[in-house]
Amino acid sequence: MALLDLALQGFSIFGFGLFIVLWFMHLVSIIYVRLHLNRKTTEKVPYSKLAGVSLLKPLKGVDPNLINNLETFFELDYPKYEILLCVQDHDDPAIDVCKKLLGKYPNVDARLFIGGKKVGINPKINNLMPAYEGARYELVWICDSGIRVKPDTLTDMANQMTEKVGLVHGLPYVADRQGFAATLEQVYFGTSHPRSYISANVAGIKCVTGMSCLMRKEILDQAGGLIAFAQYIAEDYFMAKAIADRGWKFSMATQVAMQNSGSYSIAQFQSRMIRWGKLRINMLPATIIEPVSECFVASLIIGWAAHHVFRWDIMVFFLCHCLAWFISDYIQLRGVQGGPPSFSKLDYAVAWFIRESMTIQIFLSALWDPTISWRAGRYRLRCGGTAEEILDV
């Protein structure tokens, strides 16, 4: 009985500790978003003296929004930059899109690289290698094909690249689009994702996604160049780690990394979340406790602790805690959006509930199978973040 009582007491302490940590994360992310995001760019470097930037753009296939997304990069208001468009396959329809934009904007410094260079298992690195080797400027901006930007996005990022900063990244978010799948993505990237992403960075944990990253090329070259990260699927994590290990700081842009893919569905969202979960579990095994940071599981644990110590009704506490979480998430979403979302509060409620209900299934799916499908390949993940390609026999 003594051991049981001790175990119950320990679980209660864990529950209250979890309550403090999770609500601290809520508070930190909400305040950070309000103070930092969607603010007018502060000019730290005179416009004419901003460092030159080589934009590396990995492309594969065409979705309905590709040409519009790409065109925003040709219309950037920045004194000195080049666009390096990278396509792996010679028959990829993205080549025609690139050629159309190159013809439309002859005064923009832009080049098309076709064929890539096989240096490892990571298809994105293989695709970018020729462009990286031909990049002319001191800053390298790797930005995914589904991202769209504003004319001053690069100016904002370059102004964050102060003397001791080696990497500037954008908080991933999603543009307004039609349909419930779009709402689901926007709710996730406006609530759960920024809460963990921002609070980790504020706490000094280098949490970076590679959707939009501006980096000092000399630091990457010191780490061995892009080829040094070709053995990993999550190359963004290891590039960020290499930069941090060399004593450089990170900074977050005031503008979000606006995802605007024209191809999206609930199934695609689930597959993406499962793939990310597999990568996190293999790179950082401690993330196996992630489910306790999600609303429903956390509310049950904290509710049980409150019942054990204070004899409060578990179900009443669970419902009240979920309601408080739901409201704080909506406040967070409005902050990331920079105003009210394009969908109704009812749409938000349905999408929020479905997203939270998916978390256990997504986690178990990620835990069950260590293989992932990405781009045109399948890969078996190894502990530590490396992977091997699974070749069809």
Side-chain angles (χ1 to χ4, degrees), residues 85-105:
L85 304 165
C86 307
V87 183
Q88 184 76 36
D89 300 321
H90 289 266
D91 58 350
D92 195 314
I95 293 173
D96 293 333
V97 173
C98 294
K99 289 181 177 179
K100 182 177 181 180
L101 290 172
L102 290 172
K104 185 177 180 179
Y105 295 91

Side-chain angles (χ1 to χ4, degrees), residues 122 125 167 206 208-210 215 219-220 223 225-226 228-246 250 279-280 282-284 381-387:
N122 187 304
I125 296 292
L167 182 152
K206 305 306 182 185
V208 172
T209 64
M215 296 168 282
I219 309 175
L220 292 178
L226 281 192
F229 309 101
Q231 62 181 314
Y232 307 109
I233 293 297
E235 79 292 332
D236 48 1
Y237 170 82
F238 291 97
M239 283 193 283
K241 184 177 184 300
I243 293 171
D245 288 346
R246 284 162 176 76
F250 295 179
L279 290 171
R280 288 195 299 272
N282 279 271
M283 291 187 305
L284 302 167
L381 298 172
R382 296 170 178 166
C383 188
T386 58

Side-chain angles (χ1 to χ4, degrees), residues 19 87 218:
F19 176 84
V87 183
E218 64 173 336

